[in-house]
Amino acid sequence: MKLETERLILKGINENNTEDILKIRSNPEVNKFVKRVSPKTNYDALQFILTIKEKVQNNQTVYWGISLKDQPNLVGTICLWNFSEDRKTAEVGYELLPEYHRQGIMSEALNAVLNFGFDELHLQEIVAITNTFNENSKGLLAKHDFILLEGKKDEGFPDNIIFSLKRLAGNEGI
């Protein structure tokens, strides 16, 4: 499932992306606000890719690698996952290598994924969870009209805050 924007190609990941996934998911700056076990080797990254491929096949997630149109390497990832049982709500997750921050890349990718989620998957709400200290992520979500859900907690992650974007009734676009 490929999405294209003016500057980007969002595409499924596979075994050929092992080194890129290792680079992205093991980057200390990327992981600064994320609690996860990051891959240490190509084998770890490959295991992650195989897990994602299985979750995509089982419709548990929609996951894209982000690349610039003029280069094949992935510079980040973005996904819709954590779908509600009725498949009307999903969570968006994203990460981008630091050298590509502040260039509008994630904003462009997020816009494409939001449109896909609302228009193709017919979601009613897309949720985003970010760290309260991650100013870049909070700014990105504000730019895309996400609303902070005051008082809503991410169980087990006290530094996280939760945002929501709901599809407007009768609005076919964002």
Side-chain angles (χ1 to χ4, degrees):
M1 191 166 335
K2 192 160 102 171
L3 301 176
E4 285 195 40
T5 68
E6 187 179 328
R7 298 181 295 164
L8 307 174
I9 297 175
L10 282 62
K11 57 192 173 206
I13 62 168
N14 61 42
E15 295 81 351
N16 295 330
N17 303 119
T18 300
E19 287 184 19
D20 291 340
I21 291 297
L22 177 63
K23 184 177 179 183
I24 294 164
R25 293 184 63 84
S26 66
N27 185 288
E29 186 69 22
V30 169
N31 288 326
K32 189 154 81 173
F33 300 112
V34 181
K35 301 274 187 268
R36 68 175 171 208
V37 177
S38 59
K40 306 278 186 264
T41 65
N42 277 358
Y43 179 80
D44 295 341
L46 178 60
Q47 289 306 115
F48 172 78
I49 290 168
L50 295 175
T51 299
I52 291 299
K53 284 177 69 173
E54 184 178 326
K55 289 180 183 220
V56 167
Q57 284 180 324
N58 294 333
N59 291 320
Q60 293 173 277
T61 188
V62 187
Y63 196 97
W64 296 271
I66 302 168
S67 64
L68 299 169
K69 282 186 174 175
D70 62 353
Q71 60 177 277
N73 287 22
L74 301 182
V75 299
T77 67
I78 190 165
C79 65
L80 290 169
W81 70 293
N82 204 9
F83 288 87
S84 61
E85 205 170 303
D86 64 6
R87 307 244 348 143
K88 292 193 182 307
T89 301
E91 182 179 336
V92 65
Y94 45 81
E95 57 196 352
L96 186 67
L97 288 170
E99 57 265 36
Y100 296 95
H101 286 186
R102 317 227 40 83
Q103 298 175 32
I105 290 169
M106 191 54 74
S107 185
E108 199 171 312
L110 180 59
N111 192 54
V113 169
L114 293 176
N115 285 325
F116 178 84
F118 289 128
D119 297 341
E120 303 299 322
L121 299 181
H122 307 291
L123 295 171
Q124 297 301 309
E125 179 182 23
I126 297 177
V127 173
I129 300 176
T130 194
N131 186 289
T132 193
F133 304 108
N134 190 338
E135 297 302 326
N136 286 347
S137 185
K138 291 189 316 187
L140 174 72
L141 296 172
K143 179 179 179 178
H144 290 274
D145 300 321
F146 278 78
I147 305 295
L148 176 63
L149 299 178
E150 299 280 352
K152 191 155 184 197
K153 301 283 182 219
D154 184 13
E155 292 302 318
F157 300 93
D159 287 340
N160 284 355
I161 51 179
I162 302 173
F163 290 80
S164 168
L165 181 65
K166 291 188 175 169
R167 175 180 213 137
L168 300 174
N171 184 359
E172 293 308 309
I174 295 177

